[in-house]
Amino acid sequence: MSVQERKQRERAERERLIVATARELAEEQGWDAVTTRRLAERIEYSQPVLYSHFRGKREIIGAVALQGAAELAAELRGASAEAEAEAGAGASASVEGVRGRVTALALAYLDFAERNPAVYDAMFQLDGGLAFAAEDTPEALKDGFAALLETLRDVAGEGVEPGLFTEVFWASLHGLATLTRAGRLPVGDAERRVGLLVSRLAVV
């Protein structure tokens, strides 16, 4: 390994450590607790080193959001694939099979939001300097949407643009996630809510 390669590797490792520490601190104490000073103390680097990777908290939030988007996409695809496998050959194309995949996708989304509140906030509530629904939207965010679209396009219904349907379904899930977390909806009814959402919106 050349000196340049080693430096690049060390830099990437420092960056991963900063993002992981910020995420950990945010999940423990909220994003208000995440400051460059506290991060520098936790990872035992100077603040100038931190600023050599990220210009400030906004960019750190953006990095956590991109990481979260990649994780969410993987979990959504995994849930949909598992539901399809459980349905078995042939049955996965039936009404029950298709709706089963959509239900699994929706429950996986809500579960991710519940387990990772600070990451979810970084993705959808806070300013991480990331563009959504634009030409310069980062690939990780596009892939997160694609993970929804891959399953939801099958239930958009005739004459309905699948991307538009996915936006509406996603907005419904986001509303359920944020309202439940804020205590505006009673906890424990995720499956019933998702069942109602799928039965009313998913056209097979």
Side-chain angles (χ1 to χ4, degrees), residues 166-178:
T166 299
E167 289 172 353
V168 172
F169 199 95
W170 170 32
S172 300
L173 292 177
H174 177 70
L176 290 175
T178 54

Side-chain angles (χ1 to χ4, degrees), residues 4-199:
Q4 182 64 23
E5 287 173 332
R6 180 171 52 78
K7 286 183 177 179
Q8 288 175 344
R9 184 173 173 178
E10 289 172 353
R11 180 175 177 80
E13 287 172 357
R14 279 197 306 271
E15 193 164 300
R16 280 192 293 271
L17 178 61
I18 293 167
V19 172
T21 305
R23 180 173 173 167
E24 180 182 281
L25 186 56
E27 294 290 7
E28 288 174 1
Q29 302 176 35
W31 278 104
D32 286 344
V34 180
T35 64
T36 53
R37 181 184 60 78
R38 294 191 71 182
L39 284 176
E41 288 173 357
R42 277 210 175 194
I43 63 179
E44 298 181 341
Y45 286 126
S46 67
Q47 284 183 276
V49 169
L50 220 100
Y51 283 117
S52 73
H53 289 272
F54 299 99
R55 285 178 289 184
K57 182 175 176 177
R58 184 177 185 233
E59 285 193 357
I60 294 171
I61 290 171
V64 171
L66 293 178
Q67 189 180 77
E71 292 173 7
L72 176 60
E75 291 193 21
L76 294 178
R77 289 188 174 107
S80 183
E82 185 176 341
E84 185 172 19
E86 286 177 359
S92 64
S94 67
V95 172
E96 293 78 13
V98 173
R99 285 192 172 158
R101 289 200 310 276
V102 175
T103 299
L105 177 93
L107 289 173
Y109 184 99
L110 295 177
D111 180 62
F112 178 90
E114 182 181 2
R115 286 185 292 106
N116 306 281
V119 175
Y120 193 82
D121 282 350
M123 293 166 67
F124 302 123
Q125 303 284 87
L126 302 176
D127 179 13
L130 305 175
F132 281 78
E135 287 295 321
D136 58 342
T137 297
E139 287 304 315
L141 297 183
K142 290 179 181 178
D143 191 53
F145 186 80
L148 290 166
L149 178 62
E150 288 160 13
T151 294
L152 295 175
R153 63 162 43 107
D154 295 334
V155 296
E158 187 176 350
V160 178
E161 201 277 305
L164 185 64
F165 176 81
T166 299
E167 289 172 353
V168 172
F169 199 95
W170 170 32
S172 300
L173 292 177
H174 177 70
L176 290 175
T178 54
L179 290 171
T180 301
R181 181 175 155 201
R184 302 312 195 257
L185 295 175
V187 298
D189 281 334
E191 289 191 17
R192 289 176 59 209
R193 292 182 186 119
V194 165
L196 181 62
L197 184 64
V198 172
S199 68

